[in-house]
Amino acid sequence: MRSVIRGPSGEKVGNALDVPADPAYTSNGIPIPGMTIRWLVRGEDGAPTYAMRLFESAPGAEVEVHAHPWEHEIFVFRGSMTATVGSSSYELEEGDFIFIPPDVAHGFRAGSRGATFICTIPLRPTAQR
Amino acid sequence: MRSVIRGPSGEKVGNALDVPADPAYTSNGIPIPGMTIRWLVRGEDGAPTYAMRLFESAPGAEVEVHAHPWEHEIFVFRGSMTATVGSSSYELEEGDFIFIPPDVAHGFRAGSRGATFICTIPLRPTAQR
């Protein structure tokens, strides 16, 4: 499959690497050197609930620790990365996943081979207030 | 990483293949030969909005065409499969994704090497009624 298709029933289908890569930003709005984001599925595509993005990180690229009132569900497709969650850190490799609850501080640093990972987020805050 | 961990901030982390594999069922409640489901992240884990599952399919294993009032966002991790969506069908390989809107008929058939794919679903119906 070589292009991203919108089908007659509203489906969207394609190769993740054929979705345009945008710069990835920190929670302060600063571009992250060596990291891109591809929005595979988002609200504009008709997704009602959550979005699926593909991040690609060069070796050592880092998302600083931050928090927000919504969760992440992440799956590592290629490479490796260190995930910091609250006071813990985890080494993740291909086929690993992580759930980060709302409002929990978290950050990432790609390993020596870089990292490519799926990161999903809800379309609106979900924390119980 | 060799075991699935629940961390002190509510995070859940591990290798997808270390999550127990359950039989996968059709929409009629019949086990699907050659297909398993691993619930990586679900409501019981504290996920507020949507669940992430890993399906593993033997070559030719098939999910019959069905529909339900919620969407899927799918990412193919290994192998290949044919996705039928409404009146269209698509050949998916490693790194391909597909968004299937609520209420759209869809089915899957694993290719000759089988298929391993992430399939996410919201925790409750999302169709606009």
Side-chain angles (χ1 to χ4, degrees), chain B:
Chain B
M1 174 156 310
R2 286 277 65 84
S3 61
V4 176
I5 294 166
R6 292 307 309 262
S9 300
E11 69 270 26
K12 182 180 180 183
V13 55
N15 188 276
L17 297 181
D18 289 329
V19 174
D22 297 322
Y25 289 85
T26 69
S27 53
N28 299 323
I30 300 168
I32 302 169
M35 192 172 298
T36 63
I37 180 172
R38 299 172 197 261
W39 289 84
L40 308 186
V41 184
R42 57 176 154 185
E44 295 161 30
D45 297 314
T49 316
Y50 57 95
M52 177 178 277
R53 300 95 49 89
L54 185 81
F55 284 83
E56 286 180 286
S57 302
E62 190 164 12
V63 178
E64 65 185 14
V65 173
H66 64 291
H68 42 58
W70 53 85
E71 70 273 27
H72 287 309
E73 299 181 16
I74 290 169
F75 181 81
V76 180
F77 180 49
R78 296 276 186 262
S80 66
M81 60 196 228
T82 303
T84 299
V85 182
S87 56
S88 304
S89 71
Y90 304 97
E91 300 302 322
L92 305 180
E93 308 227 336
E94 273 189 31
D96 288 344
F97 70 97
I98 187 165
F99 165 61
I100 299 166
D103 284 334
V104 172
H106 59 282
F108 308 102
R109 182 181 171 83
S112 59
R113 293 169 288 139
T116 303
F117 58 99
I118 293 288
C119 178
T120 61
I121 55 166
L123 294 178
R124 48 192 69 79
T126 57
Q128 305 291 322
R129 301 285 186 188

Side-chain angles (χ1 to χ4, degrees), chain A residues 28-50:
Chain A
N28 300 322
I30 299 169
I32 303 169
M35 192 172 297
T36 62
I37 181 173
R38 299 172 197 261
W39 289 84
L40 308 187
V41 184
R42 58 176 153 185
E44 296 161 28
D45 297 314
T49 316
Y50 56 96

Side-chain angles (χ1 to χ4, degrees), chain A residues 62-105:
Chain A
E62 192 164 10
V63 178
E64 66 185 13
V65 173
H66 65 291
H68 40 59
W70 53 84
E71 70 274 26
H72 287 310
E73 300 180 15
I74 289 169
F75 181 81
V76 181
F77 179 50
R78 297 274 187 262
S80 65
M81 62 197 227
T82 303
T84 299
V85 182
S87 57
S88 303
S89 71
Y90 304 97
E91 301 300 323
L92 305 180
E93 309 228 335
E94 273 189 30
D96 288 345
F97 70 97
I98 187 165
F99 165 61
I100 300 166
D103 284 334
V104 172

